Amino acid sequence: TGHPTDSSSSIMQPSRQLTARLPGYAALLRRVGQQASAPSVSAAAAVSSQQQQNQRLGPLAEQPALPRCPLPGTVAPAAAAGLDPVSAASAARQTQTASAGDGTLELTARPCPNQLRRDLVSLLGAEAPVSSSMNVITLAHRTRNDMSGWSTQVQEEREELTEQFVAAAAHLCRRLRAAGYWCDFIDPTSGRPMESSGGTDTLFETDERYRSLGFDIEDLGCCKVIMHAAWGARVFVGALFTNAPVDHPLLVGLAASA
């Protein structure tokens, strides 16, 4: 098993699994904000009516067509676009520091496999709704460096991707919680849930249970490294847990817009 290697496809749903390819964490932050702030049909109709009225009243009555996008070219401030200030700042840094071929982000949502399901209470804590249908979202980011070794470059890239993952995962969790679902993600530095109390268990990216999520774990003797089916050891992986369905409009929208 493993992730699909056909880069021409941005969305796949075999057996209730959803996979989307995005340019990077910054793109994920933007698209989550866009999905959350997309106007409804009734709102769009109201905008059209307002535009027609302004045309009749002349240039003195001209106003921005979308109140959430008052800047030229219907550009919205970060808060209006659905990004909180911290996520917006992170997205800006990621956009500024990204370079050509810097990586691809692969988002995969799937039902929690049995190998992980039996450990949910010890991993996430008693407040997690483990009795409901729990799903796992993995964010796999292709890296510039081979992560099986250690160097200053590898360490710096890992630190950058850790910061970016935390910002993106926190934003995605906030959106799913706002929709009425439970959601939390694993802190890559501690292996523990970021916001829940957690239990006695941890989940680092070299944990053997990642095999049940489509990755391989290679034992190098001195250490272990997670392997992606297409990218090998050039990958950084993080995980979120939620009882939101795999076909939730927010997740489907991310894949459809990828």
Side-chain angles (χ1 to χ4, degrees):
T1 61
H3 292 280
T5 58
D6 181 5
S7 60
S8 65
S9 177
S10 63
I11 176 171
M12 301 179 184
Q13 292 178 292
S15 64
R16 292 182 61 215
Q17 175 177 312
L18 180 147
T19 299
R21 294 280 182 88
L22 299 99
Y25 288 119
L28 176 62
L29 281 166
R30 288 194 303 270
R31 290 175 185 178
V32 170
Q34 290 167 358
Q35 290 292 322
S37 60
S40 63
V41 174
S42 58
V47 167
S48 176
S49 175
Q50 180 65 54
Q51 288 175 327
Q52 294 176 4
Q53 181 179 0
N54 288 345
Q55 289 174 356
R56 290 195 299 269
L57 294 176
L60 294 179
E62 290 183 357
Q63 297 181 11
L66 293 174
R68 293 169 65 89
C69 301
L71 305 181
T74 64
V75 176
L83 293 180
D84 60 277
V86 174
S87 298
S90 178
R93 286 196 301 274
Q94 293 167 35
T95 302
Q96 292 169 359
T97 59
S99 59
D102 203 22
T104 296
L105 180 65
E106 186 177 77
L107 180 153
T108 302
R110 72 182 81 206
C112 185
N114 291 333
Q115 188 176 358
L116 265 173
R117 183 177 297 278
R118 62 173 179 250
D119 300 328
L120 287 179
V121 173
S122 60
L123 176 63
L124 302 175
E127 67 268 33
V130 296
S131 60
S132 63
S133 180
M134 187 70 76
N135 294 309
V136 185
I137 302 172
T138 53
L139 298 178
H141 197 292
R142 185 172 59 191
T143 62
R144 298 185 298 272
N145 296 286
D146 184 327
M147 308 306 278
S148 63
W150 186 91
S151 67
T152 301
Q153 291 79 13
V154 168
Q155 182 66 23
E156 289 177 350
E157 184 174 18
R158 181 172 291 280
E159 291 175 356
E160 291 173 2
L161 291 176
T162 296
E163 177 186 356
Q164 294 171 14
F165 165 77
V166 168
H171 191 56
L172 182 54
C173 279
R174 279 193 295 272
R175 292 305 175 194
L176 290 175
R177 285 196 294 267
Y181 297 98
W182 184 93
C183 187
D184 202 354
F185 64 97
I186 302 299
D187 180 354
T189 63
S190 68
R192 296 176 58 81
M194 180 61 77
E195 297 190 9
S196 304
S197 62
T200 58
D201 202 358
T202 57
L203 184 69
F204 291 99
E205 70 170 0
T206 54
D207 194 295
E208 291 289 332
R209 289 170 291 187
Y210 267 103
R211 293 182 184 274
S212 65
L213 298 175
F215 300 92
D216 193 15
I217 305 297
E218 185 172 327
D219 191 340
L220 303 179
C222 60
C223 63
K224 293 183 178 181
V225 61
I226 193 167
M227 305 287 289
H228 185 278
W231 308 330
R234 295 179 181 271
V235 67
F236 177 90
V237 182
L240 301 84
F241 292 85
T242 181
N243 60 351
V246 170
D247 59 354
H248 186 275
L250 175 60
L251 300 177
V252 173
L254 291 174
S257 62

